[in-house]
Every structure is written in C-alpha cells, then in structure tokens.
Amino acid sequence: MKRELVKNIGQVKKLEMPVDWCNLSPERKLDHAPYIIEYAPVKNTGVTLTFYYRGKRIDNQSGQDFLRVLKEPPHQVSAADKELIEMVIRDASVDEWFDTYSIYTEKLNGRPVLFLDGVWRKSNLRTLGLFIDTDKTGTAVQELHFSAPAEIFGDYLEEAMSALESIKWK
C-alpha cells in the first residue's frame, strides 16, 4: 500500500493521495490549457482526481465577483451569485449540461475555496470541483476535480476528501 505525495502543482505545495492512487499519465498539455494532471485508484481508472488550469484569466469583473463570493463567510452560493461566477465554473453553469447539487464556499486549510457538486447530464459523471483564486485577483483560477460515475461516486468520496483535506498551500 503506497501513498503518493503530489508536490508543487499551481497553488498546491503538497497533497497526499489516497492509498494506491497513481498518476495516470505524465502532465498533459492541451491546446486550451497549460496543464491537466490526473490521478486515479489503481483498481478503477474511471475515478479521477484532476488538477486543471485553464491557461488564461477570466475577465476582471468576473474575477471581482469571484473574490467577493470567496470573501464572505463560508456559505451556500445563491442563484444570483451563481450567475456572477459563471466564468469560474464554466460549462457547469449551463443547467442543460450540468445538474448542480450544491455550490458553496469554505475555508480549506486556511484558504477560501469554492466547491461545486453535481452531475454531468450526458455522461452521468458526478463531480466535486474545487476552485481556487491563485493570485488574489480572482482572475486566475486553479481547479481540482474529483469525478466518478454517479453510481460509485460515494464509494470513493471519503478517499478524495482525505486527499483534498491534506493540501498544504503555497
């Protein structure tokens, strides 16, 4: 049983992966993003914890709205605020594509973060996304996503949350 220590990915100084989760492949560069790095349990590569950075900033107004939402005490995000952070949560803001269960903020090891929980309608892939302001402008957003088929999401949620709760920030 091995726990991999992930280091220096964006704002994550280090994170301890669950036992027997491994890097699926070397860091991938995409045309639309500087990196996507995926980890998965050895026994089920359809379950992933993905580090993602889109590679470009969102507009200043959206960044300011994101910061305002993050600066409030931990809370459930209202429908009105969901509209303001559409640029942050991207395609998950489209109700026809994504069934949102909850959007909320909390402090994760001292840092305010936005969580998004829901299911992609077409693929039935459930996702718990974590959105981080990387530079105090709100415009550079790093993401971590725990994703799994909806029917087994709960089987891996505790392991994924353990990894997220182990984060040490830069």
Side-chain angles (χ1 to χ4, degrees):
M1 290 199 208
K2 180 180 155 197
R3 293 179 72 100
E4 186 168 341
L5 188 62
V6 177
K7 295 182 180 181
N8 298 316
I9 301 177
Q11 293 300 298
V12 176
K13 182 177 181 179
K14 62 182 173 179
L15 172 149
E16 193 170 315
M17 293 304 298
V19 172
D20 290 333
W21 283 51
C22 63
N23 191 333
L24 287 180
S25 63
E27 180 177 325
R28 289 190 292 159
K29 302 276 186 200
L30 304 175
D31 291 339
H32 63 280
Y35 67 77
I36 182 168
I37 304 167
E38 295 181 299
Y39 287 81
V42 173
K43 62 185 177 185
N44 190 338
T45 57
V47 175
T48 58
L49 184 61
T50 304
F51 294 81
Y52 177 78
Y53 179 65
R54 63 188 83 187
K56 60 183 177 182
R57 292 179 180 274
I58 61 176
D59 66 90
N60 287 333
Q61 184 59 57
S62 296
Q64 290 303 307
D65 293 336
F66 181 42
L67 285 179
R68 185 185 56 72
V69 169
L70 287 178
K71 286 181 180 177
E72 294 175 17
H75 67 285
Q76 290 289 322
V77 173
S78 68
D81 280 347
K82 179 184 176 188
E83 287 183 26
L84 294 175
I85 58 169
E86 283 181 351
M87 294 298 293
V88 174
I89 62 174
R90 301 174 298 116
D91 291 347
S93 68
V94 180
D95 291 337
E96 293 80 30
W97 297 345
F98 191 77
D99 184 12
T100 301
Y101 294 166
S102 65
I103 305 174
Y104 57 96
T105 64
E106 68 176 53
K107 292 248 184 201
L108 182 61
N109 297 327
R111 188 170 196 149
V113 298
L114 177 79
F115 278 96
L116 168 75
D117 183 14
V119 173
W120 293 99
R121 293 181 188 275
K122 189 173 183 178
S123 65
N124 200 36
L125 194 67
R126 184 161 175 194
T127 297
L128 179 65
L130 170 67
F131 299 82
I132 308 151
D133 167 42
T134 66
D135 66 357
K136 298 185 170 105
T137 67
T139 62
V141 181
Q142 180 182 357
E143 303 173 33
L144 281 85
H145 296 274
F146 164 57
S147 300
E151 62 275 5
I152 62 170
F153 181 88
D155 297 343
Y156 292 91
L157 181 59
E158 186 176 331
E159 291 178 42
M161 288 305 298
S162 173
L164 294 175
E165 290 166 355
S166 78
I167 291 175
K168 302 287 187 249
W169 303 108
K170 289 183 179 175

